[in-house]
Amino acid sequence: MTSVRDLADDLHVLTLDADPLAASFFGEPGYEDRLPDLTAGASERLVTALRTVLDRADALTPADAGEEVTLAAIRHAAHSGIAWSQVALVECSPGPYGDGPAALVMAASRTVPETDEAATAHLARAGAYAEYLDQCAERLREGARRGRTPAAAVLDVAIAQCDGWLAEETLGPLGSVEMPDPEQSVELARIVTSSTRPALERYRATLASLRPVARADDRAGLSALPGGQADYDRLVALHTTLPLTAAEVHQIGLDACHDLAERMTTLGASLGLHGLPAVVSRLREVVSQADPTAAMEAARTAVRRAEALAPQYFSPPLPAPCRVEPMDAGMGRAGMAPHYAPPTVDGAVEGTYWFNAEIPGVGGGWDLESVAYHEAVPGHHLQIARDQLRTDLPKLQRQANVTALSEGWGLYAEVLAGDMGLYSSNEQRLGALGVQMMRAGRLVVDTGIHALGWDRERAVTFLRERVPVGEAFLVAEVSRYIAIPGQALAYMIGQRELLRLRADAQSRLGPRFDLRGFHDAVLGHGQVPLPAVAAAVEAWIGSAGG
């Protein structure tokens, strides 16, 4: 008879078979020679298989609280996969955040084939780049035939990104993976030249052909597409894991922006900055003057300081130190925000905070420490790399990405850093409030664009008046929200839920409240939806006598 653990393992294999790039992201062996099948037929088959998983889950009875949480993780992962297939952003949203050449570049930048077997597998994957890119192009054409055209803002970013890679002989990281044998390097170069480059040129030509029919800035939202409102509702549920409407999220964002404006104004006054416009202007000025090399070194110092204190706030196992390195130049020029990539399970690639050294933006000024704590420790690195060490958990819970928890934890970590005494100055504390404002603004802008009919300029203006980063970065951020609807909601919604759970536990436990114990309860089951986290915290409170 199938157990809960067996079903979790079956679902994990199913999801990795559907997305071998995700397997490579975590270094899961056996997938290095494959790429996703992006055809509509493959998507339909995946949905059928995921519905079978849900039927099997309904037939199971959990034996304990741990299995109850695992079942919640199974149901969330299956419903998420179905929702992704139904929304089909591959048909209408090219660019640096989804399916397409950027996904290949991201995977190649993490590929380290140290053996002949691994090199052979990577060459097989490289040989499939052309088919993958052709599938991406075909799905975009299919979408256009059904009126699901890309937004011009996103399309322009994707075209510029392709032009950047095509200008390089190696197509960026695609042809510069270091192979263990010179002959293998020659073969990779041959594949990139004779197969990948023509495919990337065809993909770029498809993007250009869609430009005349692309959605204008006043129709950039998902709701402008056929069935788009229902699709956005699916994504709100997927990314928040809570029963919230777009209108409710929008109001939460407005309220948070108001509260943060007051806090920024109060703290700014202590630094001689009077009024929110003066605070925003000064924070933006500092970012524009940032030296990327010096900023990266300061981020490393902040991360090491946090790592030294982590044992006081978290139980073992604790991960190895987090690297801080510059991201791929093409990604940086496209305006990608600083971000974290976890270590591979085989240890070949270390957990890394990838810093944007091309366009000064988030993480480069007075917000340097808060973003480092979000991406590295006590944020994503501590959470995600620690998950990989928890071999007692199903791989589904160690290698999935529940954005409401992972990004909610990252934003919670920025607040926790204050509790840990990690901020070195009032300037850095003010910068931390500035990036909190950006996440609050995301709730307003993402829902504004995709549910309330906001045009792109209205979104940029709303952020410009409140969020202390440069114009180029703000414009890139809005393009990101257009490209991946709903994802930006996960950050502050997740943080609010974690802070609510902590405040409730503190109130009920009083002097028995233990912060390490609370963190163990939140992180103890890996990547699970927020209602399952709440159940785990409730069980911990009960065990502690609350």
Side-chain angles (χ1 to χ4, degrees):
M1 180 178 177
T2 299
S3 68
V4 173
R5 178 74 178 243
D6 290 338
L7 183 57
D9 291 342
D10 289 349
L11 176 56
H12 182 63
V13 171
L14 176 64
T15 56
L16 295 188
D17 283 342
D19 188 2
L21 291 176
S24 296
F25 189 67
F26 283 101
E28 191 67 26
Y31 296 87
E32 302 90 337
D33 58 342
R34 291 186 251 169
L35 289 172
D37 183 345
L38 296 181
T39 61
S43 178
E44 292 168 2
R45 291 189 293 273
L46 177 61
V47 168
T48 298
L50 290 172
R51 286 180 173 147
T52 299
V53 167
L54 290 172
D55 290 341
R56 293 172 63 191
D58 289 342
L60 292 173
T61 301
D64 53 35
E67 287 197 351
E68 187 72 52
V69 171
T70 296
L71 266 180
I74 289 169
R75 290 190 174 100
H76 174 76
H79 281 299
S80 296
I82 292 169
W84 275 119
S85 294
Q86 291 172 330
V87 174
L89 291 179
V90 66
E91 292 185 347
C92 60
S93 189
Y97 306 104
D99 300 301
L104 300 181
V105 167
M106 185 73 74
S109 69
R110 289 173 56 81
T111 299
V112 186
E114 296 181 338
T115 66
D116 286 343
E117 182 181 10
T120 298
H122 180 67
L123 288 174
R125 171 176 283 178
Y129 284 165
E131 181 181 8
Y132 171 85
L133 291 171
D134 286 341
Q135 288 177 355
C136 288
E138 177 56 27
R139 290 301 299 273
L140 287 169
R141 291 190 292 268
E142 288 176 6
R145 286 193 288 269
R146 294 190 290 112
R148 291 169 52 83
T149 54
V154 175
L155 197 57
D156 289 343
V157 171
I159 289 171
Q161 198 171 48
C162 287
D163 288 342
W165 287 318
L166 286 167
E168 301 180 32
E169 183 179 353
T170 63
L171 303 185
L174 295 182
S176 56
V177 172
E178 189 172 343
M179 308 294 277
D181 183 270
E183 291 186 5
Q184 294 162 339
S185 296
V186 170
E187 177 60 11
L188 178 62
R190 186 196 65 77
I191 291 171
V192 166
T193 300
S194 64
S195 175
T196 310
R197 179 175 289 277
L200 184 56
E201 290 170 345
R202 291 193 297 272
Y203 177 81
R204 198 267 187 210
T206 295
L207 299 182
S209 72
L210 294 174
R211 188 60 180 83
V213 296
R215 302 195 319 272
D217 285 352
D218 61 348
R219 299 182 62 251
L222 203 57
S223 59
L225 298 177
Q229 188 62 61
D231 283 343
Y232 188 61
D233 290 343
R234 292 186 183 99
L235 292 175
V236 171
L238 186 158
H239 286 297
T240 68
T241 74
L242 296 175
L244 293 168
T245 66
E248 289 170 331
V249 173
H250 190 79
Q251 188 60 51
I252 290 170
L254 289 172
D255 293 343
C257 285
H258 178 76
D259 175 65
L260 286 162
E262 291 187 344
R263 295 171 64 190
M264 289 170 68
T265 299
T266 299
L267 183 54
S270 71
L271 298 172
L273 303 169
H274 301 291
L276 184 63
V279 171
V280 170
S281 178
R282 179 59 179 146
L283 286 170
R284 192 172 288 151
E285 180 183 23
V286 171
V287 171
S288 69
Q289 296 171 349
D291 179 311
T293 301
M296 265 199 306
E297 189 55 42
R300 288 191 186 100
T301 299
V303 171
R304 299 298 167 251
R305 195 162 63 244
E307 288 170 340
L309 289 178
Q312 299 178 33
Y313 295 86
F314 300 92
S315 301
L318 296 178
C322 182
R323 296 172 64 222
V324 180
E325 302 293 341
M327 70 176 68
D328 169 70
M331 294 287 194
R333 288 191 295 270
M336 179 168 279
H339 60 278
Y340 172 73
T344 54
V345 292
D346 60 4
V349 177
E350 299 170 278
T352 305
Y353 168 31
W354 293 107
F355 194 90
N356 190 333
E358 299 294 322
I359 298 178
V362 172
W366 285 356
D367 60 354
L368 183 149
E369 292 179 353
S370 61
V371 176
Y373 300 141
H374 176 117
E375 300 296 342
V377 176
H380 290 325
H381 179 70
L382 186 140
Q383 179 194 28
I384 298 172
R386 186 175 185 265
D387 285 346
Q388 292 190 9
L389 301 175
R390 292 290 307 279
T391 54
D392 56 312
L393 295 175
K395 285 185 177 180
L396 179 70
Q397 289 162 247
R398 285 150 48 199
Q399 296 182 4
N401 179 28
V402 180
T403 50
L405 179 57
S406 60
E407 296 299 351
W409 177 264
L411 200 50
Y412 169 83
E414 297 176 24
V415 175
L416 177 62
D419 301 332
M420 296 169 67
L422 287 171
Y423 290 111
S424 62
S425 66
N426 278 339
E427 287 82 358
Q428 289 294 325
R429 293 182 186 91
L430 184 58
L433 291 177
V435 291
Q436 293 274 336
M437 176 66 89
M438 183 174 73
R439 280 54 170 268
R442 286 173 173 173
L443 301 185
V444 177
V445 167
D446 196 287
T447 53
I449 291 171
H450 294 292
L452 304 179
W454 282 26
D455 63 32
R456 185 168 177 248
E457 183 53 36
R458 182 176 178 182
V460 172
T461 299
F462 183 90
L463 296 180
R464 185 189 294 124
E465 293 172 350
R466 296 163 177 83
V467 177
V469 297
E471 182 78 8
F473 199 90
L474 281 180
V475 170
E477 277 290 287
V478 171
S479 293
R480 167 189 168 183
Y481 309 150
I482 295 170
I484 45 173
Q487 191 270 350
L489 308 181
Y491 297 73
M492 183 155 277
I493 294 298
Q495 180 211 45
R496 284 168 53 88
E497 178 67 0
L498 295 179
L499 290 174
R500 184 193 70 79
L501 292 173
R502 190 171 90 170
D504 180 61
Q506 288 175 313
S507 174
R508 291 165 62 185
L509 290 174
R512 296 189 302 276
F513 177 81
D514 172 63
L515 193 53
R516 280 204 347 166
F518 173 75
H519 292 156
D520 288 346
V522 169
L523 301 180
H525 297 277
Q527 292 286 314
V528 298
L530 293 176
V533 175
V537 171
E538 185 65 30
W540 171 71
I541 292 173
S543 69

